[in-house]
Amino acid sequence: QALAQVSDPTGITHHSDHGCQYCSYRYLERLSQNGMEVSFTGKDHCYDNAKIERFFKTIKYEYGLKSVLKSKKLAKSLIKSAIYDYNHNRIHSSLSYMTPCEIYDAA
């Protein structure tokens, strides 16, 4: 999705667990060819990348996504909405009370 939505993905960090779909040579090569960084959480080490784990916690607890949802379609819709709000509307104290999109657009 980042490759389709961002004109220059250079420097974007793709964070994941060690799922086989994220570890394949072809997948990692595609990320590398587009200048994207790869970040993996170690086995049983959820704090390896504290920033993204904090983001996941925010999505779960502040946007009500920690419970089992009735359908995959509903989950996708809620996650998409939460990420949009997080990036476009939610101000962050660590960003001088700006949104991530305001910071990204200013760069």
Side-chain angles (χ1 to χ4, degrees):
Q1 286 180 341
L3 294 176
Q5 296 177 7
V6 178
S7 60
D8 181 12
T10 303
I12 290 176
T13 300
H14 177 279
H15 177 72
S16 68
D17 58 16
H18 279 99
C20 62
Q21 69 273 33
Y22 303 119
C23 295
S24 76
Y25 172 78
R26 290 174 61 189
Y27 191 86
L28 294 174
E29 183 67 19
R30 180 105 189 263
L31 295 177
S32 177
Q33 288 171 346
N34 287 280
M36 296 176 73
E37 303 291 326
V38 178
S39 169
F40 287 111
T41 295
K43 184 177 179 187
D44 298 324
H45 293 94
C46 65
Y47 299 109
D48 281 355
N49 191 332
K51 289 181 181 178
I52 196 65
E53 295 301 333
R54 176 67 177 110
F55 168 75
F56 291 154
K57 182 180 178 185
T58 298
I59 293 295
K60 286 180 183 178
Y61 289 90
E62 291 186 22
Y63 292 95
L65 296 169
K66 71 176 189 154
S67 59
V68 175
L69 300 171
K70 293 182 184 225
S71 70
K72 190 174 185 177
K73 183 178 179 180
L74 176 61
K76 282 182 162 185
S77 174
L78 291 173
I79 291 167
K80 184 176 181 177
S81 177
I83 290 172
Y84 182 88
D85 186 67
Y86 184 92
N87 287 321
H88 291 86
N89 301 320
R90 187 178 187 273
I91 59 172
H92 300 259
S93 60
S94 63
L95 300 176
S96 299
Y97 297 96
M98 296 173 71
T99 68
C101 282
E102 288 173 321
I103 297 295
Y104 182 81
D105 290 344

